[in-house]
Amino acid sequence: SYSHKVADQEPLLFSGGLDRTIRAWRLPAAQDFAAYGTNLTMQTRILRAGTFVGHTDTVWCLHAHPHMPCLASASADGIIGLWSTRFDEIKQGASMQASLRLRDGGPASPDPAACAAWVPTEA
């Protein structure tokens, strides 16, 4: 995994990487998790909350919105993706809610976005 962010509104951790997939993981309470347990396969199944599919190249950056259940992602495919992080909406193969392409792939295209971040504004 390359990047991760914890969403304040839900006990989830998000990771993304070379396989073009974003994964959501449940964050257990420390007393409920046996880091050195013998059944790691079962623990992984319990912790895995879902996957987000939609990028066609490496996921470089993830950033959870500080107040809303949204996740922004930046990928080598030139797309900034927006995803819902509502626990009841996370499922295997969840797709982007919205996206913005920052390059068209032509020879004069700028480099793809390497990072996505939410910027606070005055209300």
Side-chain angles (χ1 to χ4, degrees), residues 38-59:
T38 57
N39 195 346
L40 295 179
T41 302
M42 180 60 79
Q43 286 187 27
T44 300
R45 268 192 232 130
I46 292 169
L47 297 177
R48 188 177 298 140
T51 57
F52 300 81
V53 178
H55 283 297
T56 59
D57 206 338
T58 302
V59 176

Side-chain angles (χ1 to χ4, degrees), residues 16-123:
L18 293 171
D19 67 353
R20 307 177 314 246
T21 304
I22 298 169
R23 288 180 175 74
W25 304 91
R26 292 178 185 88
L27 292 177
Q31 65 271 17
D32 297 334
F33 184 72
Y36 302 104
T38 57
N39 195 346
L40 295 179
T41 302
M42 180 60 79
Q43 286 187 27
T44 300
R45 268 192 232 130
I46 292 169
L47 297 177
R48 188 177 298 140
T51 57
F52 300 81
V53 178
H55 283 297
T56 59
D57 206 338
T58 302
V59 176
W60 284 340
C61 180
L62 301 171
H63 195 251
H65 191 281
H67 306 293
M68 298 184 335
C70 295
L71 181 72
S73 61
S75 171
D77 61 12
I79 293 176
I80 301 291
L82 299 178
W83 313 82
S84 172
T85 60
R86 292 183 195 278
F87 192 76
D88 59 339
E89 294 179 21
I90 295 175
K91 61 182 185 213
Q92 293 299 93
S95 59
M96 278 185 220
Q97 301 292 310
S99 66
L100 171 68
R101 179 172 292 281
L102 299 177
R103 66 177 178 144
D104 63 8
S109 293
D111 292 332
C115 186
W118 299 98
V119 179
T121 60
E122 295 291 327

